[in-house]
Amino acid sequence: MKIVKSIKEMQEISIALKRKGKIIGFVPTMGYLHEGHLSLIRLAKKKSDIVVVSIFVNPMQFGPKEDFKRYPRDLKRDTKLARKAGCDVLFIPSQKQIYPDRFSAHVNVEKLSDTLEGKFRSGHFKGVTTVVAKLFNIVQPDLAFFGQKDAQQVVIIQKMAQDLNYNLKIIVAPTVREPSGLALSSRNIYLAEDERKTAKVLFESLQKAQSVIEQGETNSFKIIHEMEKMILSKPKTIIDYIAITDSKTLEPLEKLSGEVLISMAVFVGSTRLIDNLKLKVK
Ligand code: PAF
């Protein structure tokens, strides 16, 4: 596995690979790799000739009161895990490289970035799309891999790629969960032991919603109310939002039909967790 720190070198490698007709699969990450990331790397390995993984904790997608400084980092461990999972090129640019002095261009996907997570994390998705646009230009992937865990991020990046004519395919892999149902996230490390037990209620509430929907319930207000009751019955929980939306437009649905996304952000103690489920409603 090659470790690349310079943007220019990464671009040169990608150009050379493309000239040889190689399919480049790309997994962008912020590091502190877990099984969710590794499943994306393994999938990329199956579908591409060369797998590029980036590690960059992107300051632009963190709000001033968020956890940029304390976000977990362990490059040594990440390097080993990425290599083992099948990464060919590990791209680790510095903050100075990605955002040199007087950096001023941004990519923003309007509307989709302002709803759900966007209402609570102003500027977050603008930071995500700006860095992902840059990474796409640097790595020039044919395939880019993202996890369904960040459902809104996936929808926004797909729209960005479509609207800005990126010549690549976005592949979305299912959320990887602990046996308890808790979705894997680098931020799970912040959870105390009792909080980790509580945190499984997010997925339990999604499963409850699924079963109620399968029994024919289509009133989103009633479903959300059931989910809220379940979550708030657990200690140390605060709900930022639970929403049922169209899976592509992310517009709220009063009556469920078509492909819907049930998504939520919930604080367990001081840790903010997100989770979601995509369902087809008959
Ligand atoms: O999902 C993430 O880890 C990040 O939002 C991403 C896509 C690597 C951009 O910084």
Side-chain angles (χ1 to χ4, degrees):
M1 183 179 76
K2 197 170 168 55
I3 296 183
V4 176
K5 293 188 175 170
S6 120
I7 289 179
K8 191 161 174 283
E9 192 190 350
M10 186 65 244
Q11 270 172 330
E12 282 167 3
I13 290 173
S14 291
I15 291 168
L17 287 168
K18 286 180 103 76
R19 274 209 195 106
K20 286 188 200 149
K22 300 284 185 202
I23 294 178
I24 303 176
F26 177 43
V27 183
T29 81
M30 297 207 299
Y32 211 69
L33 304 180
H34 53 64
E35 196 49 41
H37 300 113
L38 302 180
S39 74
L40 293 177
I41 300 173
R42 286 186 210 113
L43 183 63
K45 191 74 182 173
K46 275 194 199 141
K47 294 190 177 279
S48 341
D49 297 317
I50 296 289
V51 177
V52 179
V53 176
S54 65
I55 296 181
F56 179 67
V57 186
N58 174 31
M60 200 187 278
Q61 69 189 74
F62 289 78
K65 293 199 176 120
E66 292 181 2
D67 55 344
F68 173 66
K69 283 220 173 93
R70 87 173 179 127
Y71 194 83
R73 293 159 169 92
D74 191 341
L75 209 48
K76 211 167 147 199
R77 180 176 158 272
D78 285 349
T79 306
K80 272 193 206 147
L81 289 173
R83 179 183 291 124
K84 215 168 149 217
C87 170
D88 299 295
V89 181
L90 186 61
F91 178 48
I92 323 174
S94 67
Q95 208 171 299
K96 259 250 156 350
Q97 287 242 350
I98 295 290
Y99 301 121
D101 290 345
R102 293 185 297 281
F103 178 86
S104 64
H106 294 90
V107 176
N108 190 35
V109 174
E110 289 168 4
K111 281 197 181 141
L112 290 173
S113 297
D114 302 327
T115 185
L116 304 173
E117 282 295 285
K119 279 195 188 146
F120 293 85
R121 304 186 68 192
S122 171
H124 167 68
F125 288 115
K126 188 175 169 188
V128 170
T129 40
T130 298
V131 84
V132 172
K134 283 174 68 80
L135 291 167
F136 282 175
N137 288 330
I138 296 165
V139 175
Q140 302 173 40
D142 300 285
L143 307 171
F145 296 81
F146 293 88
Q148 177 60 24
K149 156 91 184 343
D150 296 299
Q152 187 176 9
Q153 169 170 285
V154 166
V155 172
I156 290 171
I157 289 171
Q158 277 167 332
K159 186 80 168 86
M160 175 189 87
Q162 184 191 343
D163 286 2
L164 298 182
N165 305 102
Y166 275 97
N167 187 20
L168 52 81
K169 192 171 164 205
I170 286 166
I171 297 180
V172 185
T175 303
V176 179
R177 299 180 181 280
E178 289 187 355
S180 71
L182 174 64
L184 295 195
S185 160
S186 304
R187 288 187 169 103
N188 289 353
I189 192 173
Y190 301 150
L191 293 167
E193 207 176 309
D194 61 322
E195 295 171 345
R196 193 172 269 267
K197 280 186 194 138
T198 293
K200 67 183 167 57
V201 75
L202 273 74
F203 187 53
E204 284 168 356
S205 74
L206 287 166
Q207 286 178 309
K208 169 83 182 170
Q210 179 169 19
S211 99
V212 170
I213 292 166
E214 280 167 3
Q215 283 159 33
E217 183 60 78
T218 57
N219 180 321
S220 68
F221 179 79
K222 283 191 189 155
I223 301 163
I224 291 172
H225 185 64
E226 278 301 312
M227 295 173 73
E228 281 171 350
K229 268 199 323 203
M230 261 184 100
I231 292 170
L232 295 176
S233 74
K234 301 286 176 189
K236 299 209 268 181
T237 51
I238 299 173
I239 298 172
D240 258 358
Y241 67 87
I242 300 177
I244 306 187
T245 59
D246 177 90
S247 71
K248 293 220 164 53
T249 65
L250 303 184
E251 272 165 24
L253 296 169
E254 277 177 25
K255 189 170 163 22
L256 273 56
S257 74
E259 195 177 60
V260 305
L261 178 72
I262 311 177
S263 58
M264 61 168 80
V266 176
F267 276 95
V268 177
S270 59
T271 306
R272 189 174 183 277
L273 300 172
I274 59 170
D275 204 347
N276 70 83
L277 204 62
K278 207 156 91 166
L279 291 175
K280 280 217 167 71
V281 179
K282 282 167 215 138

